[in-house]
Amino acid sequence: GENVEQHPSTLSVQEGDSAVIKCTYSDSASNYFPWYKQELGKRPQLIIDIRSNVGEKKDQRIAVTLNKTAKHFSLHITETQPEDSAVYFCAGGYQKVTFGTGTKLQVIP
Amino acid sequence: EAGVAQSPRYKIIEKRQSVAFWCNPISGHATLYWYQQILGQGPKLLIQFQNNGVVDDSQLPKDRFSAERLKGVDSTLKIQPAKLEDSAVYLCASSQSPPSTFFGQGTRLTVV
């Protein structure tokens, strides 16, 4: 089955700086890669996703890149704000997704 | 649009007791998932339904966990008997076009 690895496990950035979270996947058949944000005690919320026929997707301050050859994808958050502080999960798969282990992002005001 | 509804939000039981969770997916979503999220980890898929049929239950501990979705809408997940290691948040999710998935608030289970 699919195996998704995520790095780093924790990330602290100053407000206004950029944050980058990286994931790798194992199954070349995977074609869908969503990113979820989970605030403490709340549900995972889909923030952006990308399909394998696209190399990059952007939505305001967040962007995701995908390198199918290397089997890795990344989340980029620019101009970080304190409300971006949360745990971020990457996931990948075909008909179902496998989640990474999460990155706890702390944005320091 | 209304989101995925789950109940209860919290449950505390003693080990060896049984417990059941309920989920109502987003209207029109044919695919329903149950995930287990242990503290500090990512969600782990337990079972996936397509309408009222099981698509994937490979990671469901079938000796103690069961799930059903009889009419292709609501679903229940049961644990009997519960173990200490079952303490986790149980997340229900649904999808209209898999694998794009939307989660419910979850049920936090504590087994003591």
Side-chain angles (χ1 to χ4, degrees):
Chain A
E2 177 63 277
N3 181 44
V4 176
E5 296 189 355
Q6 183 171 349
H7 302 278
S9 56
T10 60
L11 179 60
S12 291
V13 299
Q14 292 289 332
E15 182 178 357
D17 286 351
S18 295
V20 180
I21 302 170
K22 299 182 179 182
C23 290
T24 60
Y25 62 98
S26 61
D27 190 348
S28 56
S30 291
N31 65 351
Y32 177 67
F33 305 92
W35 287 86
Y36 287 86
K37 175 183 180 182
Q38 188 173 31
E39 297 176 70
L40 190 63
K42 297 190 176 182
R43 76 183 84 187
Q45 294 263 22
L46 179 68
I47 57 171
I48 194 167
D49 56 14
I50 191 167
R51 295 193 181 269
S52 59
N53 58 345
V54 176
E56 184 174 355
K57 184 176 178 180
K58 189 173 181 180
D59 183 3
Q60 299 182 342
R61 296 186 298 108
I62 60 173
V64 59
T65 59
L66 171 65
N67 183 325
K68 285 192 298 181
T69 303
K71 292 184 189 169
H72 66 69
F73 55 113
S74 301
L75 177 71
H76 304 252
I77 306 174
T78 59
E79 300 172 23
T80 53
Q81 300 168 4
E83 52 265 37
D84 294 331
S85 296
V87 177
Y88 291 79
F89 292 98
C90 64
Y94 180 57
Q95 284 294 320
K96 61 177 181 180
V97 294
T98 299
F99 283 80
T101 50
T103 296
K104 184 176 182 179
L105 173 65
Q106 181 184 20
V107 179
I108 304 166
Chain B
E1 103 188 332
V4 177
Q6 288 188 248
S7 67
R9 289 295 312 278
Y10 307 93
K11 190 74 176 179
I12 301 174
I13 61 172
E14 294 182 351
K15 58 183 179 183
R16 292 186 290 274
Q17 286 188 323
S18 63
V19 63
F21 313 126
W22 172 83
C23 172
N24 181 245
I26 294 172
S27 177
H29 283 196
T31 306
L32 184 147
Y33 311 82
W34 283 102
Y35 285 87
Q36 179 193 58
Q37 187 175 25
I38 293 172
L39 188 64
Q41 298 181 18
K44 183 184 88 170
L45 180 67
L46 293 175
I47 189 167
Q48 177 183 352
F49 291 95
Q50 179 73 19
N51 295 308
N52 61 349
V54 176
V55 174
D56 184 349
D57 63 357
S58 58
Q59 296 195 82
L60 186 73
K62 298 180 186 64
D63 58 333
R64 298 183 300 105
F65 286 64
S66 64
E68 60 183 13
R69 193 184 185 199
L70 293 177
K71 296 183 179 180
V73 181
D74 294 4
S75 177
T76 55
L77 175 70
K78 297 179 182 178
I79 307 175
Q80 182 180 11
K83 293 185 175 181
L84 296 177
E85 58 261 37
D86 297 332
S87 294
V89 175
Y90 290 84
L91 293 161
C92 180
S94 71
S95 172
Q96 184 177 46
S97 174
S100 181
T101 302
F102 298 91
F103 286 88
Q105 293 277 24
T107 297
R108 182 177 298 276
L109 174 67
T110 302
V111 183
V112 298

